[in-house]
Amino acid sequence: MMKKINTRILGQLGTAAVVAGTSLMEVYAVEAPLGGHNYATAMSSQLDGNIGHLRRLRSSMGKGTPLQAKPVYAVNTIDSKAGSMTETVLTSPATRWRVGVQGFYEQTSVDGNNRGAGHDRDEAGAQLVAEYLVRDSFLVGGSVSYGRAHAKTDNARTSNEDNTRFDIYSIGKDGRWTCVNSIGMGLNYHNLHGADLDGYAINFMHETAYDLMRSESATLQVYAGVQTSWNKLDGARHRGDNYTLRVRSQDAWATDVNMGFRYNIALPSIGSAPEGLLSLQTGAVGSVGNVNPAAKFTVDGESYRQSCATRDRWGWEIGAGLDIPITENLALFGTAEGIIRSDSYAFDAQLGMKMAF
């Protein structure tokens, strides 16, 4: 005997779906308040957000380092009966600490295909950083950020996502080589139409750059880097009028590997402030790991798997950054970066300031 069917769902999908053989499990999994497509997209959105965060972190690390770091001395002349004498006076001590704040915006769009529904995602938020210049060639720092994201799956409702991320990082220089590293953790909270799901991530980023050409006002670098994120998303259980939907927890990881060229151009200084810097970069990016996460459901004892859309693993990146010291101890900066693939794109932008003391 057939189970009682929710008439609201039949009204949306039509009786033809049942007549054609679609199981109740599929009907409920897609149309339940939790939403099969939305839950499958939740992990993809979490991965996109954490990889995008690592791109922004890479672009903002060390901004404002031209700010005064060495102590400044003044030589004064003292006249006396014995004649003129000079004394050296410390007028400004070395500034090793930097603190900063920045606002950011990220947008991602993935086309749908026969593997699953596409989705659009955007996130906006702010980040606080603190850095210490151990010496002129080595900097360490830490950051905390918060972002609010919205993900819209094709033909489904919008879900919300709150993201808090913590990172520690370093920048080291040795001759023509520059090396940057970061490791951090993300705490992700999803609200999918009343189903509250917790997730977390471990994030890592590395980049090595080498100065191919140097001049007094410009540097051409070749760079290679990796951004990787391992993610966990809790499962859920939802009771409907005539069914019980269980969604298993998910584990997924994603890694972007990029390589390209970066051109750094010195800009005229403002007053007594250090010179500014304009950076332009372009290169290729390849992705490994879970490019199409899938959620697994159980509805009244039947199993069901819902995938999100698969995206191309290869793409092209282009970016720019601007670092403008306003005074000896204050700098403004901004960065923008885009990743373009055949079936998707991602865009990040940020604007911030740093103060040295």
Side-chain angles (χ1 to χ4, degrees), residues 5-162:
I5 301 175
N6 188 303
T7 56
R8 181 187 66 82
I9 295 177
L10 285 178
Q12 292 176 350
L13 298 183
T15 56
V18 176
V19 173
T22 300
S23 69
L24 295 178
M25 170 271 302
E26 293 180 77
V27 174
Y28 291 137
V30 175
E31 290 300 321
L34 185 60
H37 289 290
N38 290 88
Y39 192 87
T41 301
M43 176 57 84
S44 182
S45 175
Q46 186 169 308
L47 288 168
D48 288 340
N50 285 309
I51 293 294
H53 164 72
L54 291 173
R55 287 197 302 267
R56 291 191 302 273
L57 184 65
R58 178 191 65 178
S59 299
S60 64
M61 287 167 54
K63 288 294 184 183
T65 49
L67 298 177
Q68 177 189 336
K70 298 179 180 180
V72 176
Y73 297 91
V75 179
N76 298 329
T77 301
I78 303 174
D79 294 322
S80 66
K81 294 181 179 180
S84 297
M85 301 177 59
T86 60
E87 65 174 359
T88 302
V89 179
L90 176 64
T91 59
S92 181
T95 52
R96 295 292 181 181
W97 284 99
R98 285 137 178 79
V99 295
V101 61
Q102 64 217 57
F104 66 84
Y105 177 77
E106 174 195 346
Q107 186 177 79
T108 303
S109 181
V110 181
D111 295 338
N113 52 39
N114 57 4
R115 294 294 299 273
H119 69 274
D120 296 311
R121 179 187 191 278
D122 63 83
E123 181 176 353
Q127 179 167 294
L128 300 175
V129 301
E131 299 175 340
Y132 182 72
L133 196 61
V134 179
R135 54 181 184 269
D136 291 346
S137 59
F138 187 70
L139 176 146
V140 295
S143 71
V144 57
S145 69
Y146 169 78
R148 175 77 166 175
H150 306 279
K152 174 86 167 65
T153 308
D154 292 350
N155 303 318
R157 289 167 288 187
T158 301
S159 59
N160 299 317
E161 185 180 332
D162 293 284

Side-chain angles (χ1 to χ4, degrees), residues 310-325:
T310 303
R311 71 188 67 188
D312 192 348
R313 292 184 180 272
W314 296 99
W316 196 258
E317 68 175 354
I318 184 170
L322 189 61
D323 192 352
I324 305 178

